[in-house]
């Protein structure tokens, strides 16, 4: 069996596909992956023996500027990604038995699967974007909902209208070009009635959260056995466990002056500091030997050896820190991150730092709350509940889909 996997988004949208590739390979299936042409994503997929088929612009070119992308940027990006999916996926889908899409709303993927007559799956890594009676939709470029509107059914209908405005014209134009009829609700067309949720049930309970027939597989985790760099090993061995601070792919979204604030707050706790450089470019503020800066490393090996993890609340980082039993301080920036922060706080394994700009005082207070034996004990208990077989579960479901087609 041959499976086509596609995404467009940050590392957190690409790495789970690497885990799914391994799950498929264990069952004897072959995978193709269409993803953004960022160098680090190509290296990531190379580690699991799959070449990256470039799709659309690099993510860095879109999000790594001095300021976050604007609504006008989104209005240009959306149709460009639709066109890229029709072009790239049409070529890549030849000979494939099933197509799975995730990441930034993958308008165009289902339509290519329809053209080839193969099953299509939409997968997500959180429930934040799925229509729900329990929470309102997140922000999306376009005409905002009227101030004071609280009816969630109305808010989700208006969210669908914004999606149509972003993607509808381009999608239906490309559908017409291959002889397919137009769709009138792009969001629901992309999601289907049975989306898959690739998230752990302990961290992301989903029962009753949406009226869609959700299939929760568990998180797609890529086992990582890479050794830590020698210099990092020496730093870890030279003293007490440090506090890790990293904001992943946030780039312009990272809190202002976060490296200085974090260093001062962590030192106030009498702890050493480990900064993850990431796309935000976190760097040492002085030459003191209590602070070390790392690039991309094996977080599965690193997080069990730190005192706490301060991060943005991406699905992947939250899951990895939780699996490691590391207490967390989450300073959410965008999208699903506030929900992960709230869940970590609810489980008692960390603190949600919702103030948009952490200060030395606020971050120090959050660290005081998590750097306790009680929080670490709860974090260890939750770690034991997190399943690691999500990629295998999803791979078997894809096999079943292909056989039934």
């Amino acid at each position: 069996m041959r499976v086509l996997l596609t995404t467009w988004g940050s590392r957190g949208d690409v790495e789970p596909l690497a885990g799914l590739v391994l799950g498929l390979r264990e069952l004897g299936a072959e995978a193709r992956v269409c993803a953004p042409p960022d160098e680090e994503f190509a290296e990531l997929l190379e580690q699991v023996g799959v070449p990256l088929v470039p799709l659309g612009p690099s993510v860095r070119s879109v999000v790594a500027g001095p300021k976050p992308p604007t609504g006008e940027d989104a209005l240009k990006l959306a149709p460009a990604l639709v066109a890229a999916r029709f072009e790239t996926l049409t070529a890549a889908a030849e000979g494939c038995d099933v197509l799975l899409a995730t990441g930034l709303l993958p308008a165009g993927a289902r339509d290519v699967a329809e053209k080839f007559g193969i099953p299509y799956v939409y997968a997500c890594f959180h429930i934040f974007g799925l229509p729900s009676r329990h929470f309102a939709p997140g922000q999306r470029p376009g005409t905002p909902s009227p101030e004071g509107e609280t009816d969630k059914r109305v808010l989700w209908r208006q969210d669908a209208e914004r999606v149509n405005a972003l993607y509808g014209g381009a999608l239906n134009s490309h559908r017409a070009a291959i002889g397919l009829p137009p769709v009138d609700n792009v969001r629901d067309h992309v999601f289907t009635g049975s989306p898959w949720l690739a998230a752990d049930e302990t961290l992301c309970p989903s029962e009753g959260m949406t009226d869609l027939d959700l299939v929760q597989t568990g998180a797609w985790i890529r086992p990582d056995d890479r050794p830590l760099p020698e210099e990092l090993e020496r730093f870890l061995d030279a003293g007490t466990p440090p506090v890790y601070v990293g904001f992943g792919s946030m780039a312009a979204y990272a809190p202002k002056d976060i490296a200085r604030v974090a260093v001062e707050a962590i030192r106030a706790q009498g702890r050493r500091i480990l900064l993850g450089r990431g796309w935000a470019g976190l760097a040492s503020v002085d030459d003191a030997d209590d602070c070390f800066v790392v690039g991309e490393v094996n977080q599965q090996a690193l997080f069990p050896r730190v005192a706490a993890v301060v991060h943005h609340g991406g699905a992947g980082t939250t899951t990895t820190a939780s699996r490691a039993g590391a207490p967390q301080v989450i300073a959410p920036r965008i999208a699903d991150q506030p929900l992960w922060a709230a869940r970590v706080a609810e489980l008692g394994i960390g603190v949600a730092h919702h103030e948009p700009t952490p200060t030395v005082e606020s971050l120090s207070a959050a660290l005081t709350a998590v750097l306790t034996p009680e929080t670490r004990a709860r974090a260890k208990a939750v770690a034991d509940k997190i399943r690691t077989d999500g990629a295998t579960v999803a791979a078997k479901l894809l096999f079943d889909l292909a056989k039934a087609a």
Side-chain angles (χ1 to χ4, degrees):
M1 184 180 77
R2 182 175 294 164
V3 181
L4 179 57
L5 309 175
T6 184
T7 189
W8 196 91
S10 67
R11 186 185 181 94
D13 297 298
V14 179
E15 180 143 1
L17 294 189
L20 184 53
V21 165
L22 296 177
L24 288 164
R25 187 174 296 151
E26 287 178 359
L27 298 179
E30 176 188 342
R32 291 177 179 170
V33 181
C34 299
D38 295 76
E39 182 178 352
E40 67 184 77
F41 301 160
E43 293 173 354
L44 167 62
L45 292 171
E46 185 179 346
Q47 291 170 15
V48 295
V50 174
L52 182 152
V53 179
L55 186 149
S58 73
V59 178
R60 272 188 183 265
S61 70
V62 175
V63 306
K67 295 181 180 180
T70 64
E72 184 177 341
D73 294 329
L75 287 169
K76 295 177 182 177
L77 178 64
L81 286 177
V82 170
R85 292 191 185 100
F86 272 89
E87 178 181 0
T88 303
L89 299 182
T90 296
E94 193 71 44
C96 289
D97 301 290
V98 62
L99 190 161
L100 180 145
T102 187
L104 184 66
L105 195 96
R110 179 179 182 177
D111 317 276
V112 171
E114 186 176 349
K115 174 185 176 181
F116 281 88
I118 60 176
Y120 161 81
V121 175
Y122 169 74
C124 53
F125 306 122
H126 56 82
I127 57 174
F128 181 70
L130 301 178
S132 174
R133 294 167 291 166
H134 300 279
F135 51 81
Q139 292 184 343
R140 200 187 296 274
T143 303
S145 296
E147 189 173 348
E149 179 61 72
T150 59
D151 187 323
K152 294 182 178 63
R153 291 171 299 179
V154 173
L155 293 172
W156 280 106
R157 185 173 67 246
Q158 292 165 345
D159 175 71
E161 292 168 358
R162 285 188 284 273
V163 173
N164 280 346
L166 281 167
Y167 296 95
L171 181 67
N172 284 325
S173 174
H174 284 279
R175 282 179 63 86
I178 58 174
L180 297 177
V183 298
D184 58 8
N185 186 321
V186 175
R187 186 197 66 197
D188 293 357
H189 171 74
V190 169
F191 287 173
T192 77
S194 301
W196 291 9
L197 174 61
D200 183 77
E201 192 172 353
T202 298
L203 297 177
C204 187
S206 62
E207 186 173 355
M209 296 304 292
T210 177
D211 291 335
L212 298 175
D213 185 17
L214 196 63
V215 178
Q216 187 159 10
T217 66
W220 302 342
I221 297 169
R222 172 182 68 105
D224 194 345
D225 58 2
R226 292 175 297 159
L228 297 175
E230 291 183 6
E231 286 187 337
L232 174 56
E233 285 279 8
R234 287 195 290 270
F235 175 77
L236 292 170
D237 291 341
T240 56
V243 173
Y244 174 89
V245 181
F247 283 81
S249 306
M250 285 300 92
Y253 291 102
K256 183 180 179 181
D257 207 19
I258 185 60
R260 180 193 63 79
V261 168
V263 167
E264 292 185 22
I266 295 168
R267 283 175 176 165
Q269 298 292 319
R271 301 280 181 161
R272 301 191 304 152
I273 309 105
L274 183 59
L275 297 177
R277 186 177 296 109
W279 287 10
L282 303 191
S284 299
V285 297
D286 54 35
D287 295 328
D289 61 8
D290 65 342
C291 181
F292 190 84
V293 181
V294 295
E296 195 279 315
V297 297
N298 180 354
Q299 293 183 340
Q300 294 176 23
L302 174 61
F303 285 177
R305 301 176 63 179
V306 303
V309 178
V310 179
H311 64 103
H312 56 298
T317 308
T318 302
T319 301
T320 304
S322 299
R323 282 186 65 214
Q328 302 172 60
V329 175
I330 297 183
R333 314 311 299 164
I334 58 173
D336 57 313
Q337 295 166 12
L339 291 184
W340 291 109
R343 181 57 178 164
V344 161
E346 183 180 9
L347 289 168
I349 63 175
V351 168
H353 187 295
H354 285 300
E355 295 84 355
T357 306
T359 64
V360 173
E361 293 74 22
S362 67
L363 188 53
S364 184
L367 287 167
T368 297
V370 300
L371 291 172
T372 64
E374 294 78 13
T375 301
R376 179 159 286 276
R378 286 193 294 270
K380 291 292 186 184
V382 167
D384 292 337
K385 298 178 182 178
I386 296 175
R387 296 178 57 176
T388 59
D389 63 343
T392 299
V393 171
K396 290 178 178 177
L397 289 172
L398 287 170
F399 258 82
D400 292 342
L401 270 179
K403 289 178 181 178

